Amino acid sequence: MQTNTNIIPAVIDAIQDKKGTQIKIIDLSKVDGASTGALVICQGNSTAQVSAIADSIREKIHKETGNKPYNYDGYRNSQWIVIDYGDVMAHVFLPDIRKFYNLEDLWSDGRFTEIPDLD
């Protein structure tokens, strides 16, 4: 099984497959006390799209790497779904919920990479 941080390109592809936008990667590998090596954050425009993006991530990672998430949560209301792969955590938000929790500000000491939207 491969190192989990190697799944980031597949996570990005899975997000883009479902038209997820505003993708940011936050590298936390040099941040003391971080519970993961990296966050991948994105958003969808509806609860249906948020669920579809999260499903796409889980399916693509399993198909391409054999990895299953350690845990995931948020499908009940699909406003914010988090998928935990250990060294990588994927967060899929509705825009207002993303703004409210503002993980980018919370983890501002990480190294940020923005992925351009496809459209």
Side-chain angles (χ1 to χ4, degrees):
M1 194 142 13
Q2 66 189 69
T3 305
N4 279 344
T5 53
N6 293 335
I7 69 170
I8 290 174
V11 170
I12 292 166
D13 287 344
I15 293 166
Q16 291 176 330
D17 285 348
K18 297 299 178 185
K19 309 293 186 213
T21 60
Q22 304 289 311
I23 303 169
K24 287 189 183 172
I25 302 163
I26 306 175
D27 180 351
L28 299 174
S29 61
K30 306 262 192 273
V31 177
D32 289 338
S35 59
T36 189
L39 301 177
V40 180
I41 302 171
C42 72
Q43 63 192 46
N45 292 316
S46 67
T47 56
Q49 187 183 19
V50 168
S51 292
I53 293 167
D55 287 345
S56 178
I57 292 168
R58 291 172 52 213
E59 291 165 9
K60 188 171 207 77
I61 298 307
H62 187 257
K63 182 180 177 186
E64 292 188 6
T65 70
N67 289 344
K68 292 182 180 178
Y70 293 112
N71 203 354
Y72 53 88
D73 194 22
Y75 277 94
R76 174 174 261 159
N77 61 18
S78 296
Q79 295 180 343
W80 172 14
I81 297 176
V82 59
I83 308 167
D84 181 0
Y85 287 99
D87 289 344
V88 176
M89 295 183 81
H91 295 268
V92 187
F93 287 97
L94 285 176
D96 290 347
I97 304 300
R98 180 178 183 171
K99 188 174 182 177
F100 178 79
Y101 286 101
N102 198 3
L103 294 184
E104 291 94 337
D105 191 46
L106 181 67
W107 292 105
S108 61
D109 46 352
R111 195 177 79 228
F112 285 70
T113 303
E114 291 189 31
I115 306 300
D117 291 344
L118 291 181
D119 293 329

